[in-house]
Amino acid sequence: MKFIRPILSVLIVIAIIIILFLSLSKEQKMITVVENNLGKKALGLTLKHYQDSDCGMVIDDLKFASQVVAPDGKTRFFHDHGGMIHWLDDKAFKDDAVIWVHSIDTNEWIDGKMAWYSRDEITPMKYGFGAYKTKKENLISFEMMRDFMLKGETMADPFIKKQLLEQKVK
């Protein structure tokens, strides 16, 4: 009797673990890459079904989302434009990639290299870049946004954040 109770306890724990693994395997898997986007078009995203290629987080809002289409048609997804720049920086195809960003002012996918960017948004990874189709005061080009990101001059830096927010108030 003394030996049956520990064995029974172990068997119950094993059964619970097996049930958990089986239930997890039935859940829908996150989409990280879509292949064969040879037309290099922006793809429609279903929220909470796509995973950020830079940080691995789930994309649950399109406001700061972006997509990178490699020359081979592989499309990767991001929930923060800064993370997209970070991920793309060391890729051999970075200059040939097609970039789509979700525009705040038009709520549509636009060419990321032609977009205008704010620097002081509250974004998922705190980089602060929001994309706009129409140029407005204080918006910067894609090249400037990329440079600020790669130099670390983003809202994630407390000193830069303070500067940007003070400029916004003026």
Short mmCIF file of all heavy atoms in Angstrom, two decimals, residues 43-50 58-67 77-81 100-110 123-124 129-131:
data_model
loop_
_atom_site.label_atom_id
_atom_site.label_comp_id
_atom_site.label_asym_id
_atom_site.label_seq_id
_atom_site.Cartn_x
_atom_site.Cartn_y
_atom_site.Cartn_z
N LEU A 43 0.51 41.18 -47.87
CA LEU A 43 -0.43 40.11 -47.54
C LEU A 43 -1.36 40.57 -46.42
O LEU A 43 -0.94 41.30 -45.52
CB LEU A 43 0.33 38.86 -47.11
CG LEU A 43 1.34 38.31 -48.12
CD1 LEU A 43 2.08 37.11 -47.55
CD2 LEU A 43 0.65 37.94 -49.42
N GLY A 44 -2.59 40.13 -46.49
CA GLY A 44 -3.52 40.41 -45.41
C GLY A 44 -3.15 39.59 -44.18
O GLY A 44 -2.83 38.41 -44.31
N LEU A 45 -3.16 40.20 -43.02
CA LEU A 45 -2.78 39.49 -41.80
C LEU A 45 -4.01 39.29 -40.91
O LEU A 45 -4.80 40.20 -40.72
CB LEU A 45 -1.75 40.29 -40.99
CG LEU A 45 -0.43 40.62 -41.66
CD1 LEU A 45 0.51 41.29 -40.67
CD2 LEU A 45 0.23 39.39 -42.22
N THR A 46 -4.13 38.10 -40.39
CA THR A 46 -5.13 37.81 -39.38
C THR A 46 -4.46 38.01 -38.03
O THR A 46 -3.45 37.35 -37.74
CB THR A 46 -5.65 36.37 -39.51
OG1 THR A 46 -6.17 36.19 -40.83
CG2 THR A 46 -6.72 36.07 -38.48
N LEU A 47 -4.99 38.92 -37.23
CA LEU A 47 -4.37 39.21 -35.95
C LEU A 47 -4.29 37.96 -35.09
O LEU A 47 -5.16 37.10 -35.11
CB LEU A 47 -5.16 40.30 -35.22
CG LEU A 47 -5.18 41.66 -35.91
CD1 LEU A 47 -5.99 42.65 -35.09
CD2 LEU A 47 -3.78 42.19 -36.16
N LYS A 48 -3.20 37.86 -34.34
CA LYS A 48 -2.91 36.77 -33.41
C LYS A 48 -2.62 35.44 -34.11
O LYS A 48 -2.62 34.40 -33.46
CB LYS A 48 -4.02 36.62 -32.38
CG LYS A 48 -4.19 37.86 -31.54
CD LYS A 48 -5.24 37.70 -30.50
CE LYS A 48 -5.35 39.02 -29.74
NZ LYS A 48 -6.34 39.01 -28.71
N HIS A 49 -2.34 35.47 -35.42
CA HIS A 49 -1.98 34.25 -36.16
C HIS A 49 -0.58 34.37 -36.77
O HIS A 49 -0.08 33.41 -37.33
CB HIS A 49 -2.99 33.95 -37.26
CG HIS A 49 -4.29 33.45 -36.71
ND1 HIS A 49 -5.04 32.51 -37.33
CD2 HIS A 49 -4.97 33.75 -35.59
CE1 HIS A 49 -6.13 32.27 -36.64
NE2 HIS A 49 -6.10 33.02 -35.57
N TYR A 50 0.00 35.57 -36.67
CA TYR A 50 1.32 35.81 -37.25
C TYR A 50 2.30 36.17 -36.14
O TYR A 50 1.94 36.82 -35.17
CB TYR A 50 1.26 36.93 -38.29
CG TYR A 50 0.55 36.51 -39.55
CD1 TYR A 50 -0.83 36.48 -39.62
CD2 TYR A 50 1.27 36.11 -40.66
CE1 TYR A 50 -1.49 36.08 -40.77
CE2 TYR A 50 0.62 35.70 -41.82
CZ TYR A 50 -0.75 35.69 -41.86
OH TYR A 50 -1.40 35.28 -43.00
N VAL A 58 3.64 37.74 -30.85
CA VAL A 58 2.46 37.60 -31.71
C VAL A 58 2.02 38.99 -32.18
O VAL A 58 2.01 39.94 -31.40
CB VAL A 58 1.32 36.91 -30.93
CG1 VAL A 58 0.04 36.88 -31.75
CG2 VAL A 58 1.74 35.51 -30.54
N ILE A 59 1.65 39.09 -33.44
CA ILE A 59 1.16 40.36 -33.98
C ILE A 59 -0.33 40.45 -33.66
O ILE A 59 -1.14 39.71 -34.20
CB ILE A 59 1.42 40.46 -35.50
CG1 ILE A 59 2.92 40.38 -35.77
CG2 ILE A 59 0.81 41.75 -36.07
CD1 ILE A 59 3.31 40.29 -37.21
N ASP A 60 -0.66 41.38 -32.75
CA ASP A 60 -2.05 41.52 -32.33
C ASP A 60 -2.63 42.89 -32.65
O ASP A 60 -3.73 43.22 -32.22
CB ASP A 60 -2.21 41.19 -30.85
CG ASP A 60 -1.37 42.07 -29.95
OD1 ASP A 60 -0.69 42.98 -30.46
OD2 ASP A 60 -1.38 41.85 -28.73
N ASP A 61 -1.88 43.71 -33.41
CA ASP A 61 -2.35 45.03 -33.81
C ASP A 61 -1.60 45.39 -35.10
O ASP A 61 -0.40 45.17 -35.20
CB ASP A 61 -2.05 46.05 -32.71
CG ASP A 61 -2.65 47.41 -32.96
OD1 ASP A 61 -3.30 47.62 -34.01
OD2 ASP A 61 -2.48 48.29 -32.10
N LEU A 62 -2.32 45.95 -36.06
CA LEU A 62 -1.68 46.30 -37.33
C LEU A 62 -1.09 47.71 -37.34
O LEU A 62 -0.36 48.06 -38.27
CB LEU A 62 -2.70 46.20 -38.47
CG LEU A 62 -3.19 44.81 -38.82
CD1 LEU A 62 -4.20 44.88 -39.96
CD2 LEU A 62 -2.03 43.90 -39.19
N LYS A 63 -1.37 48.53 -36.34
CA LYS A 63 -0.99 49.94 -36.36
C LYS A 63 0.48 50.15 -36.72
O LYS A 63 0.81 51.05 -37.47
CB LYS A 63 -1.32 50.59 -35.03
CG LYS A 63 -1.12 52.09 -35.04
CD LYS A 63 -1.63 52.74 -33.77
CE LYS A 63 -1.48 54.25 -33.85
NZ LYS A 63 -1.96 54.88 -32.60
N PHE A 64 1.38 49.34 -36.19
CA PHE A 64 2.81 49.50 -36.44
C PHE A 64 3.40 48.27 -37.15
O PHE A 64 4.60 48.04 -37.09
CB PHE A 64 3.54 49.77 -35.12
CG PHE A 64 2.99 50.96 -34.39
CD1 PHE A 64 2.21 50.79 -33.26
CD2 PHE A 64 3.22 52.24 -34.86
CE1 PHE A 64 1.68 51.88 -32.59
CE2 PHE A 64 2.69 53.34 -34.20
CZ PHE A 64 1.92 53.17 -33.06
N ALA A 65 2.57 47.51 -37.83
CA ALA A 65 3.00 46.27 -38.47
C ALA A 65 3.71 46.54 -39.80
O ALA A 65 3.45 47.54 -40.47
CB ALA A 65 1.80 45.36 -38.71
N SER A 66 4.61 45.65 -40.13
CA SER A 66 5.30 45.72 -41.42
C SER A 66 5.58 44.32 -41.94
O SER A 66 5.50 43.34 -41.19
CB SER A 66 6.60 46.54 -41.30
OG SER A 66 7.36 46.15 -40.20
N GLN A 67 5.89 44.26 -43.24
CA GLN A 67 6.19 43.00 -43.91
C GLN A 67 7.42 43.21 -44.78
O GLN A 67 7.57 44.27 -45.39
CB GLN A 67 5.04 42.56 -44.81
CG GLN A 67 3.71 42.42 -44.14
CD GLN A 67 2.60 42.05 -45.11
OE1 GLN A 67 2.83 41.37 -46.12
NE2 GLN A 67 1.39 42.49 -44.80
N PHE A 77 7.10 38.92 -41.13
CA PHE A 77 6.17 39.86 -40.53
C PHE A 77 6.74 40.45 -39.24
O PHE A 77 7.48 39.79 -38.51
CB PHE A 77 4.85 39.14 -40.25
CG PHE A 77 4.35 38.42 -41.46
CD1 PHE A 77 4.65 37.08 -41.66
CD2 PHE A 77 3.62 39.08 -42.43
CE1 PHE A 77 4.22 36.40 -42.79
CE2 PHE A 77 3.19 38.41 -43.57
CZ PHE A 77 3.49 37.07 -43.75
N PHE A 78 6.31 41.69 -38.95
CA PHE A 78 6.84 42.42 -37.80
C PHE A 78 5.73 43.26 -37.18
O PHE A 78 4.87 43.76 -37.90
CB PHE A 78 8.00 43.33 -38.23
CG PHE A 78 9.08 42.57 -38.95
CD1 PHE A 78 9.00 42.38 -40.32
CD2 PHE A 78 10.14 42.01 -38.26
CE1 PHE A 78 9.96 41.64 -41.00
CE2 PHE A 78 11.10 41.27 -38.93
CZ PHE A 78 11.02 41.09 -40.30
N HIS A 79 5.78 43.43 -35.87
CA HIS A 79 4.76 44.26 -35.22
C HIS A 79 5.30 45.64 -34.83
O HIS A 79 4.57 46.44 -34.27
CB HIS A 79 4.14 43.55 -34.01
CG HIS A 79 5.09 43.34 -32.87
ND1 HIS A 79 4.67 43.37 -31.56
CD2 HIS A 79 6.42 43.11 -32.81
CE1 HIS A 79 5.70 43.16 -30.76
NE2 HIS A 79 6.76 43.00 -31.51
N ASP A 80 6.56 45.91 -35.15
CA ASP A 80 7.17 47.21 -34.88
C ASP A 80 8.16 47.49 -36.01
O ASP A 80 9.01 46.66 -36.31
CB ASP A 80 7.87 47.16 -33.52
CG ASP A 80 8.29 48.52 -33.01
OD1 ASP A 80 9.03 49.23 -33.73
OD2 ASP A 80 7.89 48.88 -31.89
N HIS A 81 8.04 48.66 -36.62
CA HIS A 81 8.91 48.98 -37.77
C HIS A 81 10.39 48.95 -37.38
O HIS A 81 11.24 48.57 -38.18
CB HIS A 81 8.54 50.34 -38.35
CG HIS A 81 7.11 50.47 -38.74
ND1 HIS A 81 6.44 49.53 -39.49
CD2 HIS A 81 6.19 51.44 -38.47
CE1 HIS A 81 5.19 49.91 -39.67
NE2 HIS A 81 5.01 51.06 -39.06
N TRP A 100 6.61 46.53 -46.89
CA TRP A 100 5.25 47.05 -46.74
C TRP A 100 5.06 47.45 -45.29
O TRP A 100 5.43 46.70 -44.38
CB TRP A 100 4.22 45.99 -47.12
CG TRP A 100 4.27 45.61 -48.56
CD1 TRP A 100 4.85 44.49 -49.09
CD2 TRP A 100 3.75 46.34 -49.66
NE1 TRP A 100 4.71 44.48 -50.46
CE2 TRP A 100 4.03 45.61 -50.83
CE3 TRP A 100 3.04 47.54 -49.78
CZ2 TRP A 100 3.66 46.04 -52.09
CZ3 TRP A 100 2.67 47.98 -51.03
CH2 TRP A 100 2.98 47.23 -52.18
N VAL A 101 4.50 48.63 -45.07
CA VAL A 101 4.20 49.08 -43.72
C VAL A 101 2.73 49.46 -43.64
O VAL A 101 2.14 49.91 -44.63
CB VAL A 101 5.09 50.27 -43.29
CG1 VAL A 101 6.54 49.84 -43.18
CG2 VAL A 101 4.95 51.45 -44.22
N HIS A 102 2.16 49.27 -42.48
CA HIS A 102 0.76 49.66 -42.28
C HIS A 102 0.74 51.14 -41.95
O HIS A 102 1.39 51.59 -41.02
CB HIS A 102 0.12 48.83 -41.17
CG HIS A 102 -1.36 48.83 -41.25
ND1 HIS A 102 -2.13 49.69 -40.53
CD2 HIS A 102 -2.20 48.10 -42.02
CE1 HIS A 102 -3.39 49.48 -40.82
NE2 HIS A 102 -3.46 48.52 -41.72
N SER A 103 -0.01 51.90 -42.74
CA SER A 103 -0.06 53.35 -42.61
C SER A 103 -1.08 53.77 -41.55
O SER A 103 -2.23 53.34 -41.58
CB SER A 103 -0.44 53.95 -43.96
OG SER A 103 -0.72 55.32 -43.82
N ILE A 104 -0.65 54.64 -40.65
CA ILE A 104 -1.54 55.12 -39.59
C ILE A 104 -2.61 56.05 -40.16
O ILE A 104 -3.77 55.98 -39.77
CB ILE A 104 -0.72 55.84 -38.49
CG1 ILE A 104 0.16 54.82 -37.75
CG2 ILE A 104 -1.64 56.58 -37.51
CD1 ILE A 104 1.13 55.42 -36.75
N ASP A 105 -2.23 56.89 -41.14
CA ASP A 105 -3.20 57.88 -41.65
C ASP A 105 -4.20 57.31 -42.66
O ASP A 105 -5.30 57.83 -42.79
CB ASP A 105 -2.50 59.12 -42.21
CG ASP A 105 -1.51 58.83 -43.32
OD1 ASP A 105 -1.07 57.67 -43.47
OD2 ASP A 105 -1.14 59.78 -44.04
N THR A 106 -3.86 56.24 -43.34
CA THR A 106 -4.79 55.69 -44.34
C THR A 106 -5.28 54.28 -43.99
O THR A 106 -6.15 53.75 -44.69
CB THR A 106 -4.14 55.65 -45.74
OG1 THR A 106 -3.00 54.79 -45.70
CG2 THR A 106 -3.75 57.05 -46.20
N ASN A 107 -4.68 53.67 -42.98
CA ASN A 107 -5.06 52.32 -42.56
C ASN A 107 -4.96 51.30 -43.70
O ASN A 107 -5.84 50.47 -43.88
CB ASN A 107 -6.48 52.33 -41.95
CG ASN A 107 -6.74 51.12 -41.09
OD1 ASN A 107 -5.84 50.58 -40.47
ND2 ASN A 107 -7.99 50.68 -41.07
N GLU A 108 -3.88 51.42 -44.46
CA GLU A 108 -3.64 50.50 -45.58
C GLU A 108 -2.16 50.15 -45.63
O GLU A 108 -1.33 50.81 -45.00
CB GLU A 108 -4.09 51.14 -46.90
CG GLU A 108 -3.28 52.36 -47.28
CD GLU A 108 -3.75 53.05 -48.56
OE1 GLU A 108 -4.40 52.41 -49.39
OE2 GLU A 108 -3.44 54.23 -48.72
N TRP A 109 -1.83 49.11 -46.38
CA TRP A 109 -0.43 48.73 -46.58
C TRP A 109 0.15 49.63 -47.66
O TRP A 109 -0.43 49.76 -48.74
CB TRP A 109 -0.31 47.27 -46.99
CG TRP A 109 -0.70 46.33 -45.89
CD1 TRP A 109 -1.88 45.65 -45.77
CD2 TRP A 109 0.08 45.99 -44.75
NE1 TRP A 109 -1.88 44.90 -44.62
CE2 TRP A 109 -0.68 45.09 -43.97
CE3 TRP A 109 1.34 46.35 -44.30
CZ2 TRP A 109 -0.21 44.55 -42.78
CZ3 TRP A 109 1.81 45.81 -43.11
CH2 TRP A 109 1.03 44.91 -42.37
N ILE A 110 1.29 50.26 -47.36
CA ILE A 110 1.95 51.14 -48.32
C ILE A 110 3.42 50.74 -48.45
O ILE A 110 3.96 50.02 -47.60
CB ILE A 110 1.83 52.63 -47.91
CG1 ILE A 110 2.52 52.88 -46.56
CG2 ILE A 110 0.36 53.06 -47.87
CD1 ILE A 110 2.61 54.36 -46.18
N THR A 123 5.08 52.34 -29.50
CA THR A 123 5.03 51.14 -30.34
C THR A 123 5.31 49.89 -29.50
O THR A 123 5.82 49.99 -28.38
CB THR A 123 6.05 51.24 -31.50
OG1 THR A 123 7.38 51.26 -30.95
CG2 THR A 123 5.83 52.51 -32.33
N PRO A 124 4.99 48.71 -30.03
CA PRO A 124 5.14 47.48 -29.24
C PRO A 124 6.53 47.27 -28.64
O PRO A 124 6.66 46.81 -27.51
CB PRO A 124 4.80 46.38 -30.23
CG PRO A 124 3.84 47.02 -31.18
CD PRO A 124 4.35 48.43 -31.33
N PHE A 129 8.56 54.40 -34.06
CA PHE A 129 8.33 54.78 -35.44
C PHE A 129 6.93 54.39 -35.93
O PHE A 129 6.56 53.22 -35.89
CB PHE A 129 9.37 54.13 -36.36
CG PHE A 129 10.79 54.49 -36.00
CD1 PHE A 129 11.64 53.54 -35.44
CD2 PHE A 129 11.26 55.77 -36.20
CE1 PHE A 129 12.93 53.86 -35.09
CE2 PHE A 129 12.57 56.11 -35.85
CZ PHE A 129 13.41 55.15 -35.29
N GLY A 130 6.18 55.38 -36.39
CA GLY A 130 4.87 55.14 -36.99
C GLY A 130 4.93 55.55 -38.45
O GLY A 130 5.58 56.54 -38.79
N ALA A 131 4.29 54.80 -39.34
CA ALA A 131 4.35 55.06 -40.79
C ALA A 131 3.13 55.84 -41.26
O ALA A 131 2.01 55.58 -40.81
CB ALA A 131 4.45 53.74 -41.55
#
